[in-house]
Structures are given as C-alpha cells and as structure tokens.
Amino acid sequence: MYVLIVYDVEEKRVAKVLKFLRKYLNWIQNSVFEGEVTEAQLTEIKMGLKKITNKEQDSIIIFKARNQKWLNKEIMGKEKNPITNFLD
C-alpha cells in the first residue's frame, strides 16, 4: 500500500520522528513522508511512532491508498525532495 504520513509533534521529538520515518519512507517536505509499505511495515511504523510521540500533545495523520497510482500528486512551486526512480 502507498502511505502519506503528516505529523505535527512537539519540537523536542521532531528529530526522533524524522529519523524513525526515514527508515521506511521518503521525506518529501517538512513533517511529510510518503512511500510504499506492507501492512506489517505500517504496523511497525505505528508502533514506533506510539513509542516516540505523546498522544496528548502530538498529531500524526496517515493517508492510505492501494498503491501510488491511486494518488494524484500535484506539486506547485519547488519540490523539496524529488523522488527519482532509475531503471537498470
């Protein structure tokens, strides 16, 4: 499945969340990650984020789609971290 994760966390936890999500997904903009993951990986991501964040102070939104083709992404302005796919 293809996921888009958006988060707004307390400043002292931002670096931990960023480092954790980079293990699974592509960073595309401040506090935004996207990528293809399995159900098991998404479960790992959710469990990891629960350990790092505070549910009383932090907010995380996970958007899910069957795969990337079901998500229409339009970029206005400069793309902060373009994702390139190379075919061998």
Side-chain angles (χ1 to χ4, degrees):
M1 89 181 66
Y2 199 80
V3 297
L4 179 71
I5 297 181
V6 180
Y7 61 91
D8 183 9
V9 299
E10 193 73 29
E11 188 176 342
K12 61 187 172 188
R13 288 184 285 279
V14 169
K16 287 181 181 179
V17 172
L18 177 72
K19 184 177 178 180
F20 175 76
L21 287 175
R22 280 192 169 157
K23 294 179 194 175
Y24 298 92
L25 300 165
N26 300 307
W27 173 82
I28 59 169
Q29 197 169 41
N30 295 345
S31 303
V32 182
F33 280 81
E34 71 177 355
E36 194 78 37
V37 295
T38 64
E39 278 289 343
Q41 288 172 320
L42 183 56
T43 300
E44 288 176 23
I45 291 169
K46 289 178 180 180
M47 288 174 24
L49 289 173
K50 282 183 183 179
K51 290 178 184 176
I52 297 170
T53 59
N54 179 322
K55 69 179 185 177
E56 303 298 322
Q57 298 174 337
D58 302 327
S59 174
I60 300 168
I61 302 171
I62 301 172
F63 297 93
K64 298 186 279 186
R66 282 183 265 168
N67 58 43
Q68 188 175 4
K69 75 177 186 177
W70 294 102
L71 182 67
N72 184 14
K73 180 168 72 171
E74 179 179 343
I75 299 166
M76 297 176 63
K78 182 180 178 186
E79 187 171 6
K80 289 208 172 204
N81 193 25
I83 299 169
T84 56
N85 294 325
F86 294 100
L87 298 175
D88 295 331

